[in-house]
């Protein structure tokens, strides 16, 4: 299954146009625990008709696999003019089980419970879920989706989230990945925004062996807006593969993609972010930035910022800051009694804390900030 593919293949010779998962095991349903605020409607449906025709960050093959496996859809909706307070967030808590076998995306090696490796062995069945979020005209909602397992857990899981925002709707989506060092996870998001709709996305990847994360947002309505804040810490032998794209078709649309990451040990990461200005999106503005702190020389980082433009009257900016801390900053802080390793730990924590503090749900924000020291 091909996932996280660029809309316009650009880096074929570097093999960075997308990712591929081989020997995908059987897909079984995964159901979250739901904390439901008053006024939000929830229903479960089955069959392919429950999936709207919408582009997602991971791509069409992932959605097709969910449909073929008959994964039920959890549909959550907010009626017109209803604004749910931030303190009453819709919380979907996914507790991922320990399959006792590690899924290898390359299809070559699977880990057995006894620690031995066997070529070509099938992985345990993966746990998957699908969620639809639909907000009516001038409505507002905060959604928190927590993906969590024991730190020693192994397995494969994935969740696809599709979002439709009516005119003037506002959604804040918080998704947090905290998985075991033997877990592979797919987090797929697709969104469509009507006129004056606003989507705020906060993505945090705090642990996991292989994490594939994708977001595709279509700003179809005039003056619609997307703000995405991504934070991640990659340690050990973990590998993160991310694909973010924003498609501007409405006039005077705006997007901001900001990623802050910390990498250490032998971790590897690919970050693709694309702003696509379609013909007719006059007055659109897009900005994408990434700030990566490399804690060790043994990490592997690849960043691919892309701007596609078919309209003249637009503004697009992108940039990436990748590397170790500035020597002048280190000298300044060392002169005040701090050790170099303490400085790096403090700056790494500050990057993630800055994103965590943007989470409007107090319960989630406080829990993450309190556990921040342990994550680093």
């Amino acid at each position: 299954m091909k996932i996280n593919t660029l809309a316009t293949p650009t880096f074929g010779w570097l093999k960075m146009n997308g990712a591929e998962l081989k020997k995908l095991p059987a897909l079984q349903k995964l159901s979250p625990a739901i904390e439901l605020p008053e006024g939000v409607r929830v229903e479960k449906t089955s069959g392919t008709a429950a999936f709207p025709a919408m582009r997602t960050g991971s791509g069409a093959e992932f959605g097709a696999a969910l449909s073929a496996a008959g994964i039920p859809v959890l549909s959550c909706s907010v009626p017109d003019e209803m604004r749910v307070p931030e303190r009453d967030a819709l919380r979907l808590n996914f507790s991922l089980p320990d399959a006792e076998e590690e899924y290898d995306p390359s299809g070559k090696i699977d880990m057995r419970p006894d620690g031995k490796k066997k070529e070509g062995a099938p992985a345990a069945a993966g746990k998957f879920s699908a969620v639809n979020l639909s907000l009516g005209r001038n409505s507002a909602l905060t959604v928190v989706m927590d993906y969590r397992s024991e730190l020693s857990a192994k397995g494969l899981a994935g969740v696809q989230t599709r979002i439709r925002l009516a005119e003037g709707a506002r959604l804040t989506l918080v998704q947090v990945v905290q998985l075991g060092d033997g877990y592979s996870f797919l987090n797929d998001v697709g969104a469509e925004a009507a006129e004056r709709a606003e989507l705020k996305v906060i993505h945090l990847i705090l642990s996991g062996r292989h994490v594939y994360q994708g977001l595709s947002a279509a700003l179809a309505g005039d003056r619609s807006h997307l703000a995405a804040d991504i934070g991640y810490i990659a340690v050990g032998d973990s590998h993160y593969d991310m694909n973010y794209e924003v498609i501007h078709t409405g006039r005077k649309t705006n997007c901001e993609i900001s990623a802050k990451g910390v990498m250490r040990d032998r971790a590897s990461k690919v970050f693709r972010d694309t702003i696509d200005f379609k013909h007719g999106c006059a007055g659109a503005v897009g900005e994408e930035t990434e700030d990566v702190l490399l804690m060790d020389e043994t990490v592997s980082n690849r960043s691919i910022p892309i701007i596609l433009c078919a309209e003249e009257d637009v503004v697009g900016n992108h940039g990436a800051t990748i590397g170790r801390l500035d020597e002048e900053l280190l000298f300044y802080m060392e002169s005040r009694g701090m050790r170099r390793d303490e400085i790096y730990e403090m700056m790494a924590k500050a990057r993630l804390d800055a994103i965590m503090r943007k989470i409007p749900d107090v319960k989630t924000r406080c829990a993450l900030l309190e556990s921040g020291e342990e994550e680093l």
Side-chain angles (χ1 to χ4, degrees):
M1 182 172 67
K2 294 182 179 180
I3 60 172
N4 288 2
T5 56
L6 290 171
T8 301
T10 309
F11 296 93
W13 64 282
L14 292 176
K15 300 185 184 301
M16 294 193 296
N17 283 330
E20 186 175 8
L21 306 182
K22 298 182 178 180
K23 295 186 178 179
L24 202 66
L27 276 60
Q28 297 179 352
K29 69 176 181 179
L30 172 69
S31 298
I34 304 174
E35 297 182 39
L36 186 66
E38 184 178 355
V40 178
R41 304 166 183 168
V42 173
E43 62 176 340
K44 292 183 179 180
T45 58
S46 60
T48 58
F51 287 84
M54 180 185 298
R55 181 174 174 84
T56 65
S58 292
E61 292 189 18
F62 183 39
L66 294 176
S67 298
I71 301 300
V73 181
L74 180 67
S75 297
C76 308
S77 61
V78 180
D80 294 348
E81 308 296 338
M82 173 171 284
R83 295 182 175 272
V84 181
E86 292 179 347
R87 65 179 181 274
D88 298 327
L90 169 63
R91 300 186 184 95
L92 303 177
N93 300 313
F94 293 83
S95 180
L96 305 185
D98 185 2
E100 298 184 348
E101 290 186 357
E102 182 175 339
Y103 169 70
D104 179 18
S106 69
K108 295 180 180 179
I109 300 174
D110 282 300
M111 302 300 296
R112 292 298 180 84
D114 58 5
K116 296 182 180 180
K117 300 177 181 179
K118 183 177 180 180
E119 299 290 334
K127 300 293 184 178
F128 288 82
S129 182
V131 177
N132 285 353
L133 301 174
S134 177
L135 272 67
R137 183 170 52 86
N138 295 325
S139 63
L141 179 67
T142 296
V143 179
V144 178
M145 303 175 72
D146 186 30
Y147 312 120
R148 188 186 299 260
S149 77
E150 296 293 332
L151 292 180
S152 59
K154 300 177 181 179
L156 170 68
V159 177
Q160 183 179 77
T161 306
R162 302 197 183 199
I163 303 164
R164 275 190 170 156
L165 303 180
E167 178 182 349
R170 296 183 179 183
L171 172 67
T172 298
L173 176 66
V174 181
Q175 295 180 320
V176 184
V177 179
Q178 301 180 83
L179 300 176
D181 56 10
Y183 234 103
S184 295
F185 186 72
L186 286 76
N187 185 30
D188 183 29
V189 182
E192 292 178 354
E195 183 177 355
R196 295 183 293 103
E198 295 184 11
L199 173 61
K200 296 182 180 179
V201 176
I202 298 176
H203 277 164
L204 287 168
I205 307 177
L206 303 179
S207 57
R209 178 66 176 91
H210 299 97
V211 179
Y212 300 89
Q213 189 150 280
L215 165 67
S216 178
L219 301 182
D222 294 350
R223 299 181 185 273
S224 55
H225 177 250
L226 166 75
D229 287 285
I230 305 109
Y232 58 88
I233 175 168
V235 301
D237 295 304
S238 60
H239 174 71
Y240 299 162
D241 189 294
M242 292 171 273
N243 181 47
Y244 289 79
E245 66 174 25
V246 183
I247 304 170
H248 292 259
T249 55
R251 295 169 59 87
K252 297 185 178 181
T253 50
N254 182 275
C255 80
E256 303 166 21
I257 303 174
S258 175
K260 296 181 182 295
V262 179
M263 301 184 65
R264 64 196 319 170
D265 304 323
R266 299 159 303 282
S268 60
K269 182 228 72 179
V270 179
F271 186 82
R272 309 174 189 87
D273 55 320
T274 303
I275 298 177
D276 191 356
F277 295 109
K278 298 295 187 181
H279 180 68
C281 67
V285 178
E287 183 171 352
E288 50 189 9
T289 60
E290 186 184 14
D291 185 1
V292 189
L293 177 60
L294 306 181
M295 304 280 279
D296 296 297
E297 296 181 357
T298 50
V299 301
S300 174
N301 176 79
R302 290 180 288 177
S303 299
I304 312 172
I306 298 174
I307 293 181
L308 305 175
C309 190
E311 174 63 47
E312 294 183 0
D313 182 18
V314 296
V315 177
N317 298 293
H318 67 71
T321 302
I322 302 168
R324 300 177 68 84
L325 294 176
D326 181 74
E327 286 297 328
E328 292 185 5
L329 173 63
L330 289 172
F331 175 78
Y332 174 82
M333 301 185 77
E334 285 177 328
S335 68
R336 279 149 180 78
M338 294 187 68
R339 299 195 308 271
R340 182 162 291 211
D341 59 343
E342 292 177 336
I343 298 171
Y344 268 93
E345 295 297 333
M346 180 184 69
M347 297 302 291
K349 183 177 184 300
R351 277 167 163 75
L352 293 180
D353 281 0
I355 297 176
M356 292 177 184
R357 294 185 186 279
K358 293 183 178 183
I359 298 175
D361 179 48
V362 176
K363 179 180 178 180
T364 303
R365 182 175 67 246
C366 291
L368 289 172
L369 289 172
E370 289 176 0
S371 64
E373 290 285 351
E374 300 178 5
E375 299 296 343
L376 291 174

